[in-house]
Amino acid sequence: MVGLEPVRINPAAHRTIGGLSGLVVTGGSDINPARYGQLPEPTTGQPDDERDEIEILLVAEALRIGLPVLGICRGMQLLNVVHGGTLVQQLATGVVHARPADDQDKPGRHAAAHAVEVTPGSRLAAIVGTGRYDVNSRHHQGIDRIGEGLVACARADDGTVEGVERKDRSFFIGVEWHPEDRIDISPQDRRLFEAFAVAVSEVRP
């Protein structure tokens, strides 16, 4: 979509981030609550400890060498956990955020579920613009305590943190929705991927 060549990191091959120019941490299973000092609640899914471990190591390595990082859904939650933050294991307003696909959706695509408000003055706002826009959503967990060094850059109407970023990095952003999985990608989400591609291109030798 924006001219980047994705490289899948296979945990079985013990891949590192070496030789790559950016890191996207995608959606998926619930993070093991032990990672943020909690016991699992009944609604929390079975964790994938191997995935948790490798993604935490990859994010740490990306931070160490200064690579652009984009976290999506679980990926945003993982960025928060890496920075010492915690998660809400079951959002009280989860029905708003966990909209499943319906007959109107193309297979594997999700329409908009609710709006987010982008924080003025944030890096995200510099990319997508300030104000409200509609996003898709399919998560039942979210950020509770924001990790050290991160700031919220978007929220839903119920107060749920929908975006986090580090202001001391050229590109380090996490979003709770799935910008890659829209029926019709919004201009804002396209600009997010374009900005990530620009940040990646600046890393390439």
Side-chain angles (χ1 to χ4, degrees):
M1 179 173 65
V2 291
L4 295 178
E5 180 182 354
V7 177
R8 183 176 181 271
I9 296 175
N10 183 358
H14 302 290
R15 284 291 305 274
T16 72
I17 206 169
L20 304 182
S21 300
L23 177 66
V24 177
V25 189
T26 61
S29 58
D30 293 341
I31 297 165
N32 191 330
R35 300 281 181 182
Y36 48 94
Q38 296 181 13
L39 295 173
E41 297 179 3
T43 54
T44 298
Q46 184 70 25
D48 183 342
D49 288 319
E50 184 180 28
R51 180 178 179 183
D52 289 352
E53 181 68 22
I54 192 170
E55 288 186 346
I56 288 169
L57 292 173
L58 290 169
V59 171
E61 188 175 358
L63 282 167
R64 181 179 62 81
I65 62 179
L67 293 189
V69 176
L70 173 61
I72 295 174
C73 197
R74 167 199 155 93
M76 184 190 86
Q77 296 169 13
L78 187 94
L79 299 185
N80 190 57
V81 171
V82 167
H83 286 78
T86 61
L87 303 180
V88 178
Q89 293 188 49
Q90 180 64 37
L91 292 167
T93 52
V95 66
V96 176
H97 296 277
R99 178 191 179 279
D102 60 30
D103 291 339
Q104 302 301 312
D105 292 347
K106 297 177 183 177
R109 301 287 173 175
H110 283 65
H114 62 79
V116 297
E117 183 83 23
V118 180
T119 305
S122 64
R123 291 187 180 275
L124 182 62
I127 295 168
V128 306
T130 56
R132 294 167 61 83
Y133 78 99
D134 290 335
V135 299
N136 61 6
S137 191
R138 56 175 192 268
H139 63 103
H140 74 106
Q141 299 190 334
I143 287 180
D144 185 9
R145 187 182 72 247
I146 297 177
E148 185 177 355
L150 295 176
V151 294
C153 55
R155 291 183 183 269
D157 290 341
D158 62 4
T160 299
V161 175
E162 291 279 332
V164 294
E165 63 186 30
R166 280 187 61 152
K167 291 184 176 295
D168 62 340
R169 300 284 170 154
S170 61
F171 194 106
F172 192 96
I173 295 174
V175 295
E176 190 65 77
W177 62 96
H178 284 262
E180 84 291 357
D181 194 16
R182 287 288 300 270
I183 293 175
D184 296 305
I185 189 168
S186 69
Q188 293 92 340
D189 287 342
R190 181 174 292 277
R191 290 197 290 269
L192 178 61
F193 284 120
E194 289 171 344
F196 179 69
V198 169
V200 168
S201 69
E202 292 172 348
V203 172
R204 290 172 177 165

